[in-house]
Amino acid sequence: MGFDQYHEPPDELSQETRTFARMITSLIEEAEAISWYEQRMSVEQDKDAKAIMANAQKEEFKHFGMNLEFLLRKKDDWRKELQGILFKKGDIVELGEKAEKSVD
């Protein structure tokens, strides 16, 4: 198989690890698509085309969020750490440092 998402022999990985790798790959692909639409919209001059791209980008963002939520439900430490960073006011780096220490 021509998949590059594995760094270890796939037949030696558990089904859970292979699913995890697929979801990480999907998360990356959704993030890339969000970025591509952002770039396209920044140069697009036709307002209708730009509106269509913005609509498509929202779909990619929804998919990104769903992939992230799936992964966070599998990794309690990730969820705990991100809960200390996301949707909080204050210095992002400081929040990150504090959140990291909370799971160490």
Side-chain angles (χ1 to χ4, degrees), residues 5-85:
Q5 66 193 29
Y6 303 117
H7 293 280
E8 300 295 331
D11 58 337
E12 294 181 21
L13 299 173
S14 69
Q15 181 60 46
E16 180 179 313
T17 298
R18 291 193 308 265
T19 296
F20 184 83
R22 287 185 199 106
M23 295 304 288
I24 289 285
T25 299
S26 291
L27 186 73
I28 292 166
E29 290 168 351
E30 298 301 341
E32 287 176 335
I34 292 165
S35 176
W36 295 336
Y37 280 117
E38 192 69 25
Q39 293 172 49
R40 291 173 188 154
M41 290 184 301
S42 75
V43 297
E44 183 54 57
Q45 296 179 9
D46 184 289
K47 68 177 181 136
D48 293 329
K50 194 172 188 173
I52 292 167
M53 290 177 202
N55 182 272
Q57 185 189 45
K58 286 179 184 179
E59 282 293 311
E60 303 298 348
F61 192 70
K62 176 184 76 175
H63 299 155
F64 178 89
M66 290 166 39
N67 281 295
L68 181 59
E69 180 62 22
F70 177 89
L71 292 166
L72 293 177
R73 288 181 184 189
K74 302 293 182 184
K75 299 287 185 179
D76 290 336
D77 282 353
W78 289 15
R79 178 174 291 283
K80 184 176 180 185
E81 190 162 340
L82 289 185
Q83 285 174 333
I85 302 167

